[in-house]
């Protein structure tokens, strides 16, 4: 764990014990989030991003179970913590912005009560003071007429406003780390931009580190400092955003970047062949192999190890492994 790492994830594995056999949703995942940075976790739907997020705060639902690894937060392994200790970490240490606000918010609780509850539970405000603090937080996330909106129910707010309420709840206890799971899903383009701007503002104002989970590389380009690319439960490439966008090393990353719209009108969009495999029946070797246009025989032998391809840039692909037949090491890489 680096000296500036706030969160360090080491070989995290989460398995769902279902029929006809166990499904490894998060497979040997390692990454770190440094103080004050935004790490983007990107991949197609079903790649394991949200399960990774819930694993970090130990909220994986049955029949899911974390079976291995470490989650080191502020020097402590959360996977070894008691449930009582985790209740303090959730909210006070790690805030969480859920993907679906209407599913996360209690429909019969006023939005101010949601925020006040987080403050009272963690002993940061009395019941009398919590309402005032809730109004201040609603103002901080740029909800107009906060004094009136604090008494609204979730269904009385627009999708964008509900997402802002979720952000207020996540920030209530001033945690050093916030996880935002697809925070712009189901919002129109204008509101998406507003939410992303707000995330950046909140990061600066509250001195946050941020784990931003999304399938949208455009969001990553605008918001993140580093990016980890996830495919079929594994991280296949990670590095600085600019480096990944300029010199993607994994065929999957190149496919994602090529699929971003931006050509002239009438130009056919580029797509990655095939579909994300069933996590319960992964192909042998590299799970991206059946969809890869640069597939080699060695790809079917075992999942590739980590190969450094530049400063703070690593990939799991035989194309970049100098020891693999047919592999090539990117210019300027370290051995």
């Amino acid at each position: 764990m680096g000296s500036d790492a706030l969160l360090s994830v080491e070989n995290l594995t989460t398995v769902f014990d279902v029929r006809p056999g166990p499904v490894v949703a998060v497979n040997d995942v390692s990454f770190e989030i440094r103080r004050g940075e935004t790490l983007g976790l990107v991949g197609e739907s079903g790649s394991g991003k949200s399960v990774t997020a819930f694993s970090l705060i130990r909220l994986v639902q049955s029949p899911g179970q974390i079976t291995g690894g470490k989650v080191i937060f502020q020097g402590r392994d959360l996977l070894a913590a008691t449930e009582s200790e985790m209740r303090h970490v959730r909210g006070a240490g790690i805030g969480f912005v859920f993907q679906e606000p209407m599913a996360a918010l209690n429909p019969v609780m006023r939005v101010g009560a949601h925020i006040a509850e987080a403050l009272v539970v963690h002993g940061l405000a009395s019941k009398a003071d919590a309402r005032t603090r809730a109004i201040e937080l609603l103002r901080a996330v740029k909800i107009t007429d906060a004094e009136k909106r604090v008494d609204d129910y979730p269904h009385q707010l627009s999708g964008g406003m509900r997402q802002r309420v979720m952000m207020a709840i996540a920030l209530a206890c001033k945690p050093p780390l916030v996880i935002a799971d697809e925070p712009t899903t189901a919002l129109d383009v204008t509101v998406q931009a507003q939410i992303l701007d707000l995330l950046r503002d909140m990061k600066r104002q509250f001195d946050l580190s941020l784990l931003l989970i999304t399938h949208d590389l455009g969001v990553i380009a605008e918001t993140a400092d580093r990016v980890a690319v996830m495919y079929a439960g594994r991280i296949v490439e990670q590095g600085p955003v600019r480096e990944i966008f300029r010199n993607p090393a994994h065929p999957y990353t190149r496919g994602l970047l090529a699929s971003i719209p931006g050509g002239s009108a009438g130009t056919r969009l580029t797509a990655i062949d095939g579909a994300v495999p069933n996590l319960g029946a992964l192909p042998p070797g590299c799970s991206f192999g059946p969809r890869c246009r640069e597939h080699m025989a060695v790809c079917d032998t075992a999942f590739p190890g980590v190969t450094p391809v530049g400063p703070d840039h690593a990939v799991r692909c035989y194309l970049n492994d100098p020891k693999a037949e047919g592999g090539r090491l990117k210019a300027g890489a370290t051995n």
Side-chain angles (χ1 to χ4, degrees):
M1 181 173 175
S3 59
D4 61 342
L6 177 65
L7 177 82
S8 182
V9 180
E10 303 172 10
N11 310 113
L12 178 66
T13 299
T14 300
V15 179
F16 285 79
D17 190 9
V18 295
R19 295 181 179 179
V23 172
V24 184
V26 178
N27 196 338
D28 194 30
V29 162
S30 299
F31 61 86
E32 68 177 23
I33 301 174
R34 299 159 190 171
R35 299 180 191 277
E37 81 164 357
T38 297
L39 175 70
L41 184 60
V42 66
E44 293 171 273
S45 296
S47 59
K49 307 185 300 299
S50 293
V51 178
T52 298
F54 284 115
S55 298
L56 299 182
I57 55 174
R58 283 177 41 192
L59 284 181
V60 178
Q61 297 296 307
S62 179
Q65 183 178 4
I66 300 168
T67 60
K70 294 181 179 181
V71 177
I72 310 297
F73 177 65
Q74 295 181 320
R76 179 174 58 171
D77 185 4
L78 299 186
L79 299 189
T82 65
E83 180 55 29
S84 176
E85 291 170 334
M86 284 304 303
R87 282 196 292 270
H88 179 74
V89 170
R90 300 182 196 115
I94 301 176
F96 204 107
V97 180
F98 292 90
Q99 182 173 345
E100 296 289 348
M102 276 303 284
L105 296 171
N106 187 331
V108 298
M109 279 180 67
R110 301 179 192 274
V111 297
H114 285 86
I115 302 170
E117 182 180 53
L119 292 165
V120 172
V121 165
H122 290 286
L124 298 176
S126 66
K127 289 185 178 180
D129 295 333
R131 176 185 168 84
T132 300
R133 179 66 180 141
I135 294 171
E136 292 173 354
L137 283 160
L138 290 177
R139 287 197 193 111
V141 296
K142 296 182 172 57
I143 288 183
T144 55
D145 296 325
E147 295 84 355
K148 296 179 181 178
R149 291 296 189 179
V150 72
D151 292 321
D152 282 351
Y153 291 98
H155 74 270
Q156 294 177 281
L157 305 179
S158 67
M161 291 179 73
R162 286 194 291 265
Q163 196 60 280
R164 290 169 189 265
V165 170
M166 289 299 305
M167 292 170 68
I169 297 169
L171 296 170
C173 301
K174 299 183 179 179
L177 173 64
V178 169
I179 299 172
D181 185 10
E182 299 275 10
T184 59
T185 294
L187 301 177
D188 65 50
V189 175
T190 302
V191 178
Q192 284 184 21
Q194 293 172 355
I195 293 297
L196 291 175
D197 286 342
L198 182 58
L199 275 173
R200 286 190 287 267
D201 290 346
M202 295 298 97
K203 182 172 175 285
R204 288 190 294 268
Q205 183 178 339
F206 290 88
D207 192 26
L208 297 173
S209 297
L210 181 65
L211 174 60
L212 178 60
I213 298 171
T214 181
H215 62 273
D216 190 335
L217 281 168
V219 169
I220 294 295
E222 291 182 31
T223 311
D225 302 302
R226 291 188 303 117
V227 59
V229 180
M230 198 164 191
Y231 184 80
R234 296 181 187 261
I235 290 179
V236 295
E237 184 170 6
Q238 58 180 309
V241 167
R242 288 187 178 182
E243 173 66 11
I244 295 285
F245 274 66
R246 290 174 180 171
N247 299 299
H250 198 282
Y252 179 60
T253 309
R254 290 197 290 271
L256 289 177
L257 290 168
S259 66
I260 298 176
S264 57
T267 303
R268 178 182 288 273
L269 295 176
T270 303
I272 302 174
D273 296 335
V276 177
N278 181 342
L279 293 177
L282 293 176
C286 177
S287 50
F288 186 64
R291 304 176 70 186
C292 184
R293 297 180 180 180
E294 300 179 79
H295 179 270
M296 304 180 295
V298 68
C299 300
D300 297 327
T301 59
F303 198 86
V306 177
T307 301
V309 290
D312 202 25
H313 184 187
V315 64
R316 301 188 74 161
C317 177
Y318 287 114
L319 289 170
N320 296 276
D321 185 350
K323 299 176 184 178
E325 185 178 350
R328 59 179 185 274
L329 191 63
K330 206 164 82 171
T334 55
N335 292 309

